[in-house]
Amino acid sequence: MSVSSSRWDIFCAVIDNFGDIGICWRLSRQLASEHGVNVRLWVDDLASFQRICPQINVDEMQQTVAGVNIMLWSARTSWAEYSVADVVIEALACTIPMPYQQQMATYDVKPLWLNLEYLSAEDWVEGCHGLPSPQPHLPLDKYFFFPGFTAATGGLLQETALQQHAQSFSADTVAQQQFWQQLDIKDPSYYAQKISLFAYDHPQLSTLVNCWRQSGQTILCLVPEGALATQLSGLYPQLSISRELVIDALTIKILPFMPQDDYDKLLWACDINFVRGEDSIIRAHWAGKPFIWQIYRQQQQAHLEKLNAFMLRYCAQMPVDTCEAVQQFWLQWNTDGLLDKSWQKFSANLVQIAEYNRLWRVALTANGDLASNLVHFVEKKFIMRRNFS
């Protein structure tokens, strides 16, 4: 069997944000468009899906968008009506329904079952990537597939032409102007600095806002809808009414939730990008601009171990002063610390950070992209089956 003739099922459970469906949708589209894979994407929340992909019809149990078969996964799904795919991906800690698993076990040639894990920079990921896990309850193996930042992992999601699109957008003043007009920004050149702020709420947010309003340069802060936009509206009630506020040198503008392609343009168009979770941090890497990652919070500060592992890898080749500025602000941003002094140090290193991030992007691209690495992994397993069957 070839990959192009195989059928893939990807299961996605939307938890409490949009990162899970964001990752699964980008992966599904790329598999279909660049690798000719017949993809069926099972999603348990079409309303959240529609926020990042307006073409989704929330009333349809089955639909096709961008070459991907979209299926509603619910408690009422009759799994006996659907054949099992050749490749089954359990994405981001979701659990495939037991009737589907049981059906997988009845096949003479078992489906290739992959557990697509969350992104991590921790060292142990390399040792677990690609390993099988025999299932105790059924005669099936499940393989771990880890996205990551080294060649010994699955790499990061990146469409083949993504960087070319970004470069074309950055060189096209008409396209940029149309994008700003779409956001109701009449004169983007008025602002010395444009910042996208996509994050979870932060108890010290006002200290950062005060830094920006007193910075002495005109700043435009663009805030996509979400928890932090709600927090800002609580601090500044006018934002709830007009969705725009000018405070001294700072202009804050709340943006409606954006489709994925428009969000990419936002990252390309801004000078600094605050991102959160998994999907937006990956896109920030490819934008090549200075970025600040707010990692998904876990109980007992467990997320800080993952953050420190990433900072250690990301900052390994940075100049010492730049490294200290980045790590200090990132830790303050992820531990609810005061932000004024650490922001001043971070912003003083923006030129150096931008230069470094372009080199970092080159290094990440050399690892291959997640979709292609997945396809290569599946091809090897198919070849092994033919040779040893």
Side-chain angles (χ1 to χ4, degrees):
M1 181 185 297
S2 65
V3 168
S4 60
S5 64
S6 62
R7 295 180 302 109
W8 294 36
D9 273 351
I10 299 177
F11 286 83
C12 176
V14 180
I15 309 300
D16 57 357
N17 288 294
F18 300 91
D20 295 340
I21 184 56
I23 292 290
C24 292
W25 179 227
R26 292 189 195 275
L27 174 61
S28 298
R29 283 189 302 173
Q30 189 178 357
L31 288 170
S33 63
E34 296 185 14
H35 299 280
V37 175
N38 181 359
V39 181
R40 192 165 53 180
L41 175 59
W42 293 92
V43 183
D44 66 351
D45 182 356
L46 293 180
S48 294
F49 193 176
Q50 188 186 55
R51 300 291 300 279
I52 64 169
C53 179
Q55 299 96 313
I56 294 295
N57 185 337
V58 297
D59 298 319
E60 292 290 338
M61 295 183 62
Q62 181 174 346
Q63 55 197 295
T64 300
V65 179
V68 177
N69 299 312
I70 312 296
M71 311 292 294
L72 176 62
W73 167 16
S74 75
R76 297 188 299 275
T77 302
S78 177
W79 297 105
E81 297 179 9
Y82 301 100
S83 59
V84 169
D86 305 299
V87 180
V88 180
I89 297 180
E90 189 176 64
L92 308 174
C94 76
T95 301
I96 294 176
M98 186 54 64
Y100 189 98
Q101 293 186 36
Q102 292 169 339
Q103 192 175 350
M104 290 166 62
T106 65
Y107 281 52
D108 293 333
V109 178
K110 302 293 189 290
L112 182 59
W113 184 3
L114 304 176
N115 181 9
L116 179 62
E117 288 281 357
Y118 284 109
L119 176 64
S120 177
E122 295 168 288
D123 290 337
W124 63 266
V125 164
E126 294 184 341
C128 295
H129 177 65
L131 291 182
S133 173
Q135 300 302 290
H137 59 292
L138 290 169
L140 295 168
D141 286 336
K142 178 164 58 174
Y143 290 86
F144 293 107
F145 203 92
F146 282 88
F149 303 94
T150 72
T153 68
L156 302 177
L157 274 172
Q158 181 181 197
E159 300 86 344
T160 299
L162 178 63
Q163 291 188 38
Q164 180 182 342
H165 291 327
Q167 292 168 4
S168 297
F169 179 81
S170 298
D172 190 337
T173 55
V174 174
Q176 293 177 52
Q177 188 62 37
Q178 290 175 343
F179 176 71
W180 291 121
Q181 289 176 352
Q182 178 183 329
L183 300 184
D184 196 28
I185 307 295
K186 296 180 175 58
D187 184 13
S189 63
Y190 168 76
Y191 303 100
Q193 195 171 76
K194 293 181 276 291
I195 301 172
S196 75
L197 183 59
F198 184 48
Y200 311 111
D201 55 8
H202 196 292
Q204 302 298 335
L205 178 63
S206 59
T207 66
L208 185 59
V209 172
N210 287 334
C211 280
W212 292 343
R213 62 185 290 188
Q214 298 168 9
S215 67
Q217 60 179 343
T218 50
I219 295 177
L220 174 63
C221 178
L222 298 161
V223 188
E225 284 182 1
L228 193 134
T230 301
Q231 183 187 3
L232 277 171
S233 297
L235 292 172
Y236 306 101
Q238 182 181 334
L239 284 171
S240 300
I241 302 170
S242 64
R243 302 177 69 84
E244 184 172 329
L245 175 66
V246 178
I247 322 172
D248 301 325
L250 172 65
T251 299
I252 302 174
K253 188 173 182 62
I254 306 295
L255 302 178
F257 207 89
M258 310 179 80
Q260 284 184 325
D261 291 344
D262 285 344
Y263 182 68
D264 283 339
K265 292 177 182 177
L266 180 68
L267 297 178
W268 303 339
C270 287
D271 304 298
I272 305 168
N273 294 307
F274 284 74
V275 290
R276 73 181 202 192
E278 184 164 330
D279 182 54
S280 58
I281 179 62
I282 295 172
R283 307 313 278 191
H285 285 303
W286 304 134
K289 304 293 184 67
F291 62 87
I292 300 93
W293 185 24
Q294 190 179 31
I295 194 169
Y296 186 79
R297 299 171 185 171
Q298 295 176 302
Q299 293 182 350
Q300 300 178 337
Q301 304 283 8
H303 58 288
L304 293 183
E305 185 174 346
K306 297 179 183 295
L307 179 68
N308 285 323
F310 173 73
M311 289 196 300
L312 184 64
R313 197 176 295 279
Y314 166 54
C315 299
Q317 303 299 321
M318 272 187 184
V320 174
D321 291 346
T322 303
C323 176
E324 290 178 355
V326 168
Q327 293 190 354
Q328 183 178 355
F329 184 72
W330 279 40
L331 284 172
Q332 296 290 76
W333 186 242
N334 282 277
T335 56
D336 299 341
L338 294 172
L339 301 168
D340 47 356
K341 293 182 180 179
S342 59
W343 173 257
Q344 291 170 6
K345 292 181 180 179
F346 184 91
S347 59
N349 282 269
L350 288 176
V351 173
Q352 294 88 337
I353 295 170
E355 291 175 351
Y356 182 84
N357 281 355
R358 287 189 283 271
L359 298 175
W360 171 249
R361 180 174 60 186
V362 172
L364 293 178
T365 300
N367 297 330
D369 68 274
L370 181 69
S372 297
N373 290 338
L374 262 172
V375 167
H376 296 156
F377 182 83
V378 170
E379 286 175 337
K380 290 179 181 177
K381 294 301 177 185
F382 284 174
I383 292 170
M384 290 175 63
R385 285 180 175 181
R386 287 198 298 268
N387 291 343
F388 295 100
S389 60

